[in-house]
Amino acid sequence: MYKAVISDLDGTLLNENHLLNDFTIETVRKITEKGIKFYIATGRSYFGAKEIMEKINLKIPLITSNGARIMNNEGKEIYINNIDKKYLEKIYEVEYKKIDKDIIMNGYSGSNWYIVEDVLDYYIKQRPDRLHLPKIINENEFYNKDYTKIFFLGEHDKLLKLEKIIKKVTAEEVNVVFVSERSLEIFAKNSNKATAAKYLLQKDGIKLSEAVAFGDGYNDYELLKEAGKGYLMGNSLYRLIEGLPKHEIIESNVDDGVAKKLRELFL
């Protein structure tokens, strides 16, 4: 019997509208009542993850920024691993707007989310119910902050070109991964969800081999590979499926794949 569950959020635990449904909330409640530990491991910032935690009605530690930042169940930072400044400087030199003027650069600094252009309508259109929006600051201010994660939003074919450039200028000394086809994310090389999960599980006397994990993006690769059992969503990014060809693929997030598998495993 597994002792813990570690789940990604967007594209995994959440539906196509980035929301939790009652079936999933009830399922998580039932397995935790049986003593199964439940953890969230997401690329989101703290506030984005906290919003989901509160809807589940649990007080749990949160793995955010793809493992680069961990908050305890009281909302206090217990781990952070910012991108080295020398790599940030290389990234800022990349003229991403020449690849496509519609690519948007974002940054997570602590619990704050920053952008350098007024494109708030883009985020509101994506999720009209969104509680948190990025703050617009000028480039100089943006470049002088510390970041757990820099990410670029845009069309996949354009981001593929950007990926090659960023890997080259950073000599692949940072993680450069697609979380979804429209989101290319950069974070510290030695940060990932598996490392963060081990840190939290150890506090509860649990090994990662005693946990099941769920994910859909390449930022979930290490976690799904190292967990006792890692499940890929039916809607997973093609690179994740190619990277873990022997892993079980469950139903998509649209079809409550995580909740259904949790019931099969624990209820």
Side-chain angles (χ1 to χ4, degrees):
M1 172 65 73
Y2 294 107
K3 299 178 180 179
V5 175
I6 309 154
S7 181
D8 174 48
L9 292 180
D10 298 288
T12 303
L13 193 69
L14 309 183
N15 64 22
E16 69 274 26
N17 296 315
H18 304 274
L19 300 172
L20 280 169
N21 60 36
D22 291 340
F23 180 68
T24 297
I25 294 172
E26 181 187 17
T27 301
V28 173
R29 177 182 60 79
K30 285 184 175 181
I31 67 166
T32 54
E33 285 176 352
K34 292 190 67 174
I36 305 300
K37 293 287 185 178
F38 186 85
Y39 302 89
I40 287 172
T42 179
R44 287 188 175 200
S45 68
Y46 169 65
F47 287 115
K50 180 173 179 283
E51 175 185 343
I52 302 303
M53 177 189 73
E54 291 173 344
K55 289 181 179 177
I56 299 174
N57 198 26
L58 289 175
K59 287 190 74 173
I60 55 176
L62 298 170
I63 296 169
T64 67
S65 292
N66 300 319
R69 191 169 188 242
I70 307 174
M71 312 294 282
N72 69 11
N73 55 8
E74 299 297 330
K76 294 182 179 179
E77 181 181 281
I78 56 176
Y79 174 83
I80 189 166
N81 187 15
N82 288 317
I83 305 168
D84 194 301
K85 286 282 191 181
K86 66 182 178 182
Y87 300 122
L88 287 176
E89 289 171 1
K90 295 292 186 182
I91 294 166
Y92 298 152
E93 290 173 1
V94 175
E95 297 179 307
Y96 63 94
K97 287 293 187 182
K98 286 189 176 181
I99 298 172
D100 186 359
K101 62 179 178 58
D102 293 325
I103 292 176
I104 305 168
M105 181 172 65
N106 300 250
Y108 284 167
S109 181
S111 295
N112 300 304
W113 177 11
Y114 297 112
I115 54 176
V116 294
E117 55 186 312
D118 187 356
V119 288
L120 294 180
D121 286 348
Y122 170 86
Y123 301 96
I124 295 169
K125 184 178 180 181
Q126 273 190 327
R127 286 175 51 199
D129 64 321
R130 189 188 292 272
L131 297 179
H132 305 285
L133 289 167
K135 181 181 178 182
I136 306 164
I137 58 178
N138 64 51
E139 287 188 347
N140 286 336
E141 189 177 354
F142 189 97
Y143 294 160
N144 282 307
K145 294 186 180 295
D146 293 319
Y147 291 99
T148 51
K149 183 176 88 170
I150 294 287
F151 60 109
F152 295 89
L153 303 177
E155 296 296 329
H156 188 57
D157 60 334
K158 307 299 184 183
L159 294 179
L160 284 169
K161 295 178 181 179
L162 180 58
E163 176 193 32
K164 290 180 181 178
I165 296 170
I166 291 176
K167 283 186 173 183
K168 183 177 180 180
V169 300
T170 60
E172 299 195 37
E173 289 298 324
V174 292
N175 276 311
V176 184
V177 302
F178 277 96
V179 171
S180 68
E181 289 194 356
R182 294 184 57 84
S183 184
L184 179 65
E185 310 202 347
I186 299 100
F187 48 102
K189 188 73 171 180
N190 57 346
S191 286
N192 61 60
K193 293 183 181 183
T195 300
K198 288 175 188 175
Y199 178 84
L200 288 182
L201 288 167
Q202 186 178 26
K203 291 179 176 295
D204 288 321
I206 302 172
K207 298 176 182 178
L208 187 52
S209 60
E210 298 174 308
V212 296
F214 299 88
D216 72 304
Y218 208 78
N219 57 330
D220 299 308
Y221 175 83
E222 293 86 358
L223 176 61
L224 298 176
K225 184 178 181 180
E226 296 181 39
K229 182 71 174 181
Y231 294 98
L232 280 63
M233 305 304 296
N235 51 285
S236 290
L237 183 71
Y238 66 92
R239 283 192 177 178
L240 184 64
I241 295 172
E242 291 170 356
L244 298 171
K246 296 182 180 179
H247 277 55
E248 182 177 342
I249 299 175
I250 63 173
E251 291 187 56
S252 72
N253 64 323
V254 175
D255 297 314
D256 303 321
V258 172
K260 288 177 180 177
K261 179 56 68 172
L262 289 178
R263 286 175 181 253
E264 178 186 320
L265 290 170
F266 299 111
L267 301 179

